[in-house]
Amino acid sequence: MGRDGRPTPQTGPTAVVAALVASVRAALDAAGLATADIAAAGLSAPGPLDHRTGIILTTQNIAGFVDANFPIAARLAADLGGPQVFVDRDTAMAAIGEGTIGAAKGARDFVYLTVSTGVGGAIVSGGRMIRGVTNTAGELGHFPVGMDRDVRCRCGSFGNLAEAYGAAEASIVYAKAATGDARAVALIARAEAALANLAVGIVNALNPERIVVGGSVAEHEPAHVLEPMRRAIAERAFKVPAAAAKVVPSALGADVSIIGAALAARDRASGGGDWFL
């Protein structure tokens, strides 16, 4: 197996594609393979995007992609010189991975939730991914769960743990809280309350069998993520859907979106994957 990781360029789409091509070639070299050996490739990306045409419509997280309408799948396929490239939201790819071989395998109604510096998600209902009219359904991190208006997110709404503290990453806030930093402790308590409200809303509105929670914060701080969600569901959600819902950690860890992207590419290249399209 070949693997390569590198920072995402912040100088525009052309630089991002070049970095992706270089990363693919480095991973192939490490595995002793050539581009001609690859039939299809999967790419997970922040949205909003069009997963059918492979176009990133806009994203706040990568410079040069605001209102870009950038055909990243076609550009990447052309520069690689061969394989089909299939693109989807990172959280949708994660849900594909967990639903196919991970913690949601066998479940027809589940929610994938990522809790990292930001929060995102994807929804599967009745065995099908819920997409919405603009393919943004499942953006649960942008679901209003409180009245806070003191920290603005890049999307234009409010709330972000790291930015509220003035840190680069949420992990710094948890580390500060562990030393007794009162401001960090208060912000984490607020974040726990927001996640608890979100969990109750998910259970009451969507009635899932499982809520699969991934992301670096969830992985390293389960007591501050999974446990508040479980308590809130038990205490405040409607009893019937609450009894059916389980909050479980991701089975695929940090590679969840990579694994999901590979599975999505395999299925789409073979004409399958109808449940998540």
Side-chain angles (χ1 to χ4, degrees):
M1 181 180 73
R3 190 181 187 100
D4 181 75
R6 57 191 67 201
T8 302
Q10 295 293 327
T11 53
T14 299
V16 170
V17 171
L20 286 169
V21 170
S23 186
V24 169
R25 289 179 174 157
L28 289 173
D29 286 344
L33 298 171
T35 307
D37 297 317
I38 306 301
L43 174 65
S44 71
L49 54 77
D50 187 329
H51 64 292
R52 293 185 180 276
T53 62
I55 294 173
I56 293 181
L57 302 175
T58 185
T59 181
Q60 310 297 320
N61 298 323
I62 307 175
F65 281 87
V66 176
D67 299 324
N69 293 313
F70 184 72
I72 194 164
R75 282 285 302 275
L76 186 56
D79 287 8
L80 284 173
Q84 288 181 282
V85 176
F86 299 99
V87 179
D88 211 334
R89 291 197 340 259
D90 46 8
T91 49
M93 290 298 201
I96 292 166
E98 294 290 352
T100 304
I101 62 172
K105 183 179 180 180
R108 290 179 56 78
D109 294 270
F110 73 90
V111 170
Y112 175 79
L113 189 69
T114 181
V115 183
S116 187
T117 301
V119 178
I123 302 165
V124 174
S125 179
R128 295 196 65 86
M129 183 97 62
I130 302 300
R131 292 290 185 172
V133 69
T134 60
N135 190 34
T136 56
E139 289 286 5
L140 298 167
H142 300 279
F143 193 91
V145 293
M147 300 303 292
D148 304 85
R149 299 182 68 84
D150 55 336
V151 180
R152 185 175 287 274
C153 174
R154 292 176 186 174
C155 74
S157 191
F158 298 86
N160 180 296
L161 180 61
E163 290 186 15
Y165 188 82
E169 298 178 354
S171 60
I172 296 171
V173 187
Y174 287 98
K176 290 290 187 180
T179 68
D181 185 307
R183 183 160 169 263
V185 169
L187 286 170
I188 288 172
R190 187 179 72 172
E192 289 182 9
L195 285 170
N197 287 346
L198 177 60
V200 172
I202 288 172
V203 169
N204 287 349
L206 300 175
N207 191 198
E209 175 183 347
R210 289 172 220 171
I211 302 175
V212 181
V213 189
S216 59
V217 172
E219 180 181 357
H220 295 104
E221 303 289 344
H224 294 294
V225 178
L226 277 71
E227 291 307 320
M229 294 173 68
R230 288 168 176 154
R231 286 195 300 271
I233 290 168
E235 294 169 2
R236 295 193 279 121
F238 291 144
K239 297 303 179 185
V240 171
K246 288 183 172 59
V247 177
V248 299
S250 164
L252 304 179
D255 285 342
V256 60
S257 291
I258 297 173
I259 294 169
L263 293 169
R266 178 200 67 181
D267 291 350
R268 291 182 68 178
S270 63
D274 289 347
W275 72 271
F276 58 76
L277 293 176

Coordinates of all heavy atoms in Angstrom, one line a residue, residues 36-79:
A36 N -1.6 4.0 -14.8 CA -2.3 3.1 -15.7 C -3.0 1.9 -15.0 O -3.9 1.3 -15.5 CB -1.4 2.6 -16.8
D37 N -2.5 1.6 -13.8 CA -3.0 0.5 -13.0 C -4.3 0.9 -12.3 O -5.0 0.1 -11.7 CB -2.0 0.1 -12.0 CG -0.7 -0.5 -12.6 OD1 -0.9 -1.2 -13.6 OD2 0.4 -0.2 -12.1
I38 N -4.6 2.2 -12.3 CA -5.8 2.7 -11.5 C -6.9 2.9 -12.4 O -6.9 3.7 -13.4 CB -5.4 4.0 -10.8 CG1 -4.1 3.8 -9.9 CG2 -6.6 4.5 -9.9 CD1 -4.2 2.8 -8.9
A39 N -8.1 2.3 -12.1 CA -9.3 2.4 -13.0 C -10.1 3.6 -12.5 O -10.8 4.3 -13.3 CB -10.1 1.2 -12.9
A40 N -10.1 3.9 -11.2 CA -10.9 5.0 -10.7 C -10.3 5.5 -9.4 O -9.7 4.8 -8.7 CB -12.4 4.5 -10.4
A41 N -10.6 6.8 -9.1 CA -10.1 7.4 -7.9 C -11.2 8.2 -7.2 O -12.1 8.7 -7.9 CB -9.0 8.4 -8.2
G42 N -11.2 8.2 -5.9 CA -12.2 8.9 -5.1 C -11.6 10.1 -4.5 O -10.4 10.0 -4.0
L43 N -12.3 11.2 -4.4 CA -11.8 12.5 -3.8 C -12.8 13.0 -2.9 O -14.0 13.3 -3.3 CB -11.4 13.5 -4.9 CG -11.0 14.9 -4.4 CD1 -9.7 14.8 -3.7 CD2 -10.9 15.8 -5.6
S44 N -12.5 13.1 -1.6 CA -13.4 13.8 -0.7 C -13.0 15.2 -0.5 O -11.8 15.5 -0.5 CB -13.4 13.1 0.7 OG -12.2 13.3 1.4
A45 N -14.0 16.1 -0.5 CA -13.7 17.6 -0.5 C -14.8 18.3 0.3 O -15.9 17.8 0.5 CB -13.7 18.1 -1.9
P46 N -14.4 19.4 0.9 CA -15.5 20.2 1.5 C -16.4 20.8 0.5 O -16.0 21.0 -0.7 CB -14.7 21.4 2.2 CG -13.4 21.5 1.4 CD -13.1 20.1 0.9
G47 N -17.7 21.0 0.8 CA -18.7 21.5 -0.1 C -19.0 22.9 0.2 O -18.3 23.6 1.0
P48 N -20.1 23.4 -0.4 CA -21.0 22.7 -1.3 C -20.3 22.3 -2.7 O -19.5 23.0 -3.2 CB -22.1 23.7 -1.6 CG -22.0 24.6 -0.4 CD -20.6 24.7 -0.1
L49 N -20.8 21.1 -3.2 CA -20.3 20.6 -4.4 C -21.4 19.8 -5.1 O -22.4 19.4 -4.5 CB -19.0 19.8 -4.2 CG -19.0 18.6 -3.3 CD1 -19.7 17.4 -3.8 CD2 -17.6 18.3 -2.8
D50 N -21.1 19.5 -6.4 CA -22.0 18.7 -7.2 C -21.3 17.3 -7.3 O -20.4 17.2 -8.1 CB -22.3 19.3 -8.5 CG -23.4 18.5 -9.3 OD1 -23.4 17.3 -9.2 OD2 -24.1 19.2 -10.1
H51 N -21.8 16.3 -6.6 CA -21.1 15.0 -6.6 C -21.3 14.3 -7.9 O -20.5 13.3 -8.2 CB -21.6 14.2 -5.4 CG -23.0 13.8 -5.5 ND1 -24.0 14.7 -5.3 CD2 -23.7 12.6 -5.7 CE1 -25.2 14.1 -5.5 NE2 -25.0 12.9 -5.7
R52 N -22.3 14.6 -8.7 CA -22.5 13.9 -10.0 C -21.6 14.4 -11.1 O -21.2 13.7 -11.9 CB -24.0 14.0 -10.4 CG -24.9 13.3 -9.4 CD -26.4 13.3 -9.9 NE -27.3 12.6 -9.0 CZ -27.5 11.3 -9.0 NH1 -26.9 10.5 -9.9 NH2 -28.3 10.7 -8.2
T53 N -21.4 15.7 -11.1 CA -20.5 16.3 -12.1 C -19.1 16.5 -11.7 O -18.2 16.8 -12.5 CB -21.1 17.7 -12.6 OG1 -21.1 18.6 -11.5 CG2 -22.5 17.5 -13.1
G54 N -18.8 16.4 -10.4 CA -17.5 16.6 -9.9 C -17.0 18.0 -9.8 O -15.8 18.3 -9.9
I55 N -18.0 18.9 -9.6 CA -17.7 20.4 -9.5 C -17.8 20.9 -8.1 O -18.8 20.7 -7.4 CB -18.6 21.2 -10.4 CG1 -18.4 20.8 -11.9 CG2 -18.5 22.7 -10.2 CD1 -19.4 21.4 -12.8
I56 N -16.7 21.5 -7.6 CA -16.8 22.2 -6.3 C -17.4 23.6 -6.6 O -16.9 24.4 -7.3 CB -15.4 22.4 -5.6 CG1 -14.9 21.0 -5.2 CG2 -15.5 23.3 -4.4 CD1 -13.5 21.0 -4.6
L57 N -18.6 23.8 -6.0 CA -19.3 25.1 -6.2 C -18.7 26.2 -5.4 O -18.4 27.3 -6.0 CB -20.8 24.9 -5.8 CG -21.5 23.8 -6.5 CD1 -22.9 23.6 -6.0 CD2 -21.6 24.0 -8.0
T58 N -18.5 26.0 -4.1 CA -17.8 27.0 -3.3 C -17.4 26.3 -2.0 O -18.0 25.4 -1.6 CB -18.8 28.2 -3.0 OG1 -18.1 29.2 -2.3 CG2 -20.0 27.8 -2.2
T59 N -16.4 26.8 -1.4 CA -16.0 26.4 -0.1 C -15.2 27.5 0.6 O -14.4 28.2 0.0 CB -15.2 25.1 0.0 OG1 -14.9 24.7 1.3 CG2 -13.9 25.2 -0.8
Q60 N -15.5 27.7 1.9 CA -14.8 28.7 2.7 C -13.4 28.3 3.2 O -12.6 29.1 3.6 CB -15.6 29.1 3.9 CG -17.1 29.4 3.6 CD -17.3 30.6 2.6 OE1 -16.6 31.6 2.8 NE2 -18.2 30.5 1.7
N61 N -13.1 27.0 3.1 CA -12.0 26.4 3.8 C -10.7 26.4 3.0 O -9.6 26.1 3.5 CB -12.3 25.0 4.3 CG -13.4 25.0 5.3 OD1 -13.6 25.9 6.1 ND2 -14.3 24.0 5.2
I62 N -10.8 26.6 1.7 CA -9.6 26.5 0.8 C -9.6 27.8 -0.1 O -10.6 28.1 -0.8 CB -9.6 25.3 -0.1 CG1 -9.8 24.0 0.7 CG2 -8.3 25.2 -0.9 CD1 -9.9 22.8 -0.1
A63 N -8.5 28.5 0.0 CA -8.4 29.8 -0.7 C -8.6 29.6 -2.2 O -8.1 28.6 -2.8 CB -7.1 30.4 -0.5
G64 N -9.4 30.4 -2.9 CA -9.6 30.4 -4.3 C -10.8 29.6 -4.7 O -11.1 29.5 -5.9
F65 N -11.5 29.0 -3.7 CA -12.7 28.1 -4.1 C -14.0 28.8 -3.7 O -15.0 28.1 -3.7 CB -12.6 26.8 -3.4 CG -11.6 25.8 -4.1 CD1 -10.3 25.8 -3.8 CD2 -12.1 24.9 -5.0 CE1 -9.4 25.0 -4.4 CE2 -11.2 24.1 -5.7 CZ -9.9 24.1 -5.4
V66 N -14.0 30.0 -3.3 CA -15.3 30.7 -3.0 C -15.9 31.1 -4.4 O -15.3 31.7 -5.2 CB -15.0 32.0 -2.2 CG1 -16.3 32.7 -2.0 CG2 -14.4 31.7 -0.9
D67 N -17.1 30.5 -4.5 CA -17.9 30.7 -5.8 C -17.1 30.3 -7.0 O -17.1 30.9 -8.1 CB -18.3 32.2 -5.9 CG -19.3 32.6 -4.8 OD1 -20.1 31.8 -4.3 OD2 -19.2 33.8 -4.4
A68 N -16.3 29.2 -6.9 CA -15.4 28.9 -7.9 C -16.0 28.1 -9.1 O -15.6 28.2 -10.2 CB -14.2 28.0 -7.3
N69 N -17.0 27.3 -8.8 CA -17.6 26.3 -9.7 C -16.5 25.6 -10.5 O -16.4 25.6 -11.7 CB -18.5 27.1 -10.7 CG -19.7 27.7 -10.0 OD1 -20.4 26.9 -9.3 ND2 -20.0 28.9 -10.3
F70 N -15.6 25.0 -9.7 CA -14.4 24.5 -10.3 C -14.5 23.0 -10.6 O -14.9 22.2 -9.7 CB -13.2 24.7 -9.3 CG -11.9 24.2 -9.9 CD1 -11.2 24.9 -10.9 CD2 -11.3 23.1 -9.4 CE1 -10.0 24.5 -11.4 CE2 -10.1 22.6 -9.9 CZ -9.4 23.4 -10.9
P71 N -14.3 22.5 -11.8 CA -14.5 21.1 -12.2 C -13.3 20.3 -11.8 O -12.5 19.8 -12.6 CB -14.6 21.2 -13.8 CG -13.7 22.4 -14.1 CD -13.9 23.4 -13.0
I72 N -13.2 20.0 -10.5 CA -12.0 19.4 -10.0 C -11.9 18.0 -10.4 O -10.7 17.5 -10.7 CB -12.0 19.5 -8.4 CG1 -10.6 19.2 -7.9 CG2 -13.1 18.6 -7.8 CD1 -10.3 19.6 -6.5
A73 N -13.0 17.2 -10.6 CA -12.9 15.8 -11.0 C -12.3 15.8 -12.4 O -11.3 15.0 -12.7 CB -14.2 15.2 -11.0
A74 N -12.8 16.6 -13.4 CA -12.3 16.5 -14.7 C -10.9 17.0 -14.8 O -10.0 16.4 -15.6 CB -13.2 17.4 -15.6
R75 N -10.5 18.1 -14.1 CA -9.1 18.6 -14.1 C -8.1 17.5 -13.6 O -7.1 17.3 -14.1 CB -9.0 19.9 -13.3 CG -9.6 21.1 -14.0 CD -8.6 21.5 -15.1 NE -7.3 21.9 -14.6 CZ -7.0 23.0 -14.0 NH1 -7.9 24.0 -14.0 NH2 -5.8 23.3 -13.6
L76 N -8.5 16.9 -12.4 CA -7.7 15.9 -11.8 C -7.5 14.7 -12.7 O -6.4 14.2 -12.9 CB -8.2 15.5 -10.5 CG -7.3 14.6 -9.6 CD1 -5.9 15.2 -9.4 CD2 -8.0 14.3 -8.3
A77 N -8.6 14.2 -13.3 CA -8.5 13.1 -14.3 C -7.6 13.4 -15.5 O -6.8 12.6 -15.9 CB -9.9 12.7 -14.7
A78 N -7.7 14.6 -16.0 CA -6.9 15.0 -17.1 C -5.5 15.0 -16.8 O -4.6 14.6 -17.5 CB -7.4 16.3 -17.7
D79 N -5.1 15.6 -15.6 CA -3.7 15.8 -15.2 C -3.1 14.4 -14.8 O -1.9 14.2 -15.0 CB -3.6 16.8 -14.1 CG -3.8 18.2 -14.6 OD1 -4.2 18.4 -15.7 OD2 -3.6 19.1 -13.8

